[in-house]
Amino acid sequence: MIQESKPVLREAAPGVPHHGVAVANDRYTLISEPNAQNSDELPIGIKIVDKSGAQIGGVHSCPDLHGEATSGNILAFSCASGLLVVSMDVSTPQIKHLPYAAALPSGKTTTMLGGRGLQYFLGNYGSDKVVLIDPAEAEPFRLVTLPMRRVDFAVDPVRARFAYVFTEDGRLRRLDIIAGEIDGSLRVTEPYSMDGHWNDPRPRLAVAGDKIAVTDPSRGVISLVDATSLTKTSEIALGGRPFNIIAVGGSGQSHDDE
């Protein structure tokens, strides 16, 4: 038996076009509040609207909002001053501000990924650092300094303890989330400098089952690395220069009832 359903579309208007974000569940939408003086600037906060589009409460301040991620039942937005942490498993989303620790150097997170299996966030912080964020801890920010500037990073959805960071010397580095340190690395490509335009093709990561896929735009290939042994196993030749990569998959059961 094949079941068919039609999607129900719901609009949530931010007011003016801007470089923003909207995150929805079945009851509410969290939507960015644009900068009233200049919509070309980054948003200034987050507001909650219900199914009818009515705003619930005021705007939750998040200056220079850029980047968001979900881990378990927690959603986080990056701000210049820290994070907005949202609990989504309650009747109305609960939002609190998590300021950056005073001990952190000057900087901010603009790209975040949410952990799978373990509840945490992994974000960029400066050109040669990443930050591990656990909102439940007394000291939620743990900074990890890298030997070289960072090119890309990814979390492991299968081996929850690990994440991966690719650095401009061409090495794939494994990050132990619990220990908060790099515990292994592998040379995968020739060096890729982070100098030049931010949008130049550079290596990107994706984790698919037991493989870590690393794009190599200069050679037009994807290298496959075994996630357990951290060894290169094969390459996939492409017809061009890969710009990005994402792993897509699924599992489950198929029912063909007559």
Side-chain angles (χ1 to χ4, degrees), residues 8-247:
V8 177
L9 301 180
R10 186 171 83 239
E11 292 187 357
V16 297
H18 66 289
H19 182 71
V21 63
V23 180
N25 63 15
D26 60 340
R27 296 184 298 273
Y28 299 99
T29 300
L30 281 75
I31 189 166
S32 53
E33 178 74 7
N35 187 313
Q37 281 68 47
N38 185 354
S39 60
D40 290 334
E41 297 292 332
L42 292 174
I44 62 170
I46 286 289
K47 61 186 176 185
I48 304 171
V49 298
D50 63 17
K51 287 183 178 181
S52 69
Q55 184 172 329
I56 308 298
V59 174
H60 299 265
S61 177
C62 184
D64 293 345
L65 188 156
H66 191 287
E68 83 286 340
T70 301
S71 181
N73 62 350
I74 296 179
L75 169 67
F77 297 94
S78 299
C79 319
S81 55
L83 304 184
L84 282 188
V85 180
V86 186
S87 298
M88 296 291 286
D89 61 345
V90 291
S91 58
T92 303
Q94 301 297 306
I95 302 178
K96 69 176 183 178
H97 182 254
L98 183 66
Y100 287 129
L104 290 177
S106 177
K108 63 179 181 178
T109 294
T110 58
T111 301
M112 279 193 302
L113 300 174
R116 308 287 183 87
L118 293 174
Q119 194 164 70
Y120 72 94
F121 297 94
L122 175 64
N124 62 340
Y125 202 95
S127 62
D128 63 347
K129 300 175 181 64
V130 291
V131 62
L132 294 165
I133 308 164
D134 184 348
E137 291 292 327
E139 296 183 3
F141 299 96
R142 288 187 294 161
L143 205 61
V144 180
T145 300
L146 306 167
M148 302 288 291
R149 288 186 293 185
R150 180 196 63 255
V151 178
D152 195 26
F153 56 97
V155 301
D156 194 324
V158 178
R159 290 151 292 273
R161 181 171 185 147
F162 298 111
Y164 308 97
V165 184
F166 192 88
T167 49
E168 64 179 353
D169 56 352
R171 300 193 75 88
L172 176 68
R173 302 178 187 274
R174 185 171 61 192
L175 173 60
D176 186 320
I177 300 301
I178 296 175
E181 60 186 25
I182 301 294
D183 80 339
S185 71
L186 172 71
R187 176 72 173 269
V188 181
T189 74
E190 294 300 312
Y192 277 85
S193 174
M194 288 301 291
D195 296 329
H197 196 277
W198 66 269
N199 210 24
D200 290 340
R202 295 183 178 91
R204 295 290 182 261
L205 308 178
V207 183
D210 293 330
K211 302 295 184 183
I212 308 165
V214 184
T215 66
D216 190 346
S218 293
R219 295 179 57 229
V221 302
I222 298 174
S223 296
L224 298 180
V225 176
D226 183 271
T228 302
S229 62
L230 211 61
T231 57
K232 184 175 176 179
T233 58
S234 61
E235 289 184 347
I236 301 173
L238 304 173
R241 302 176 69 192
F243 182 79
N244 207 346
I245 187 171
I246 186 170

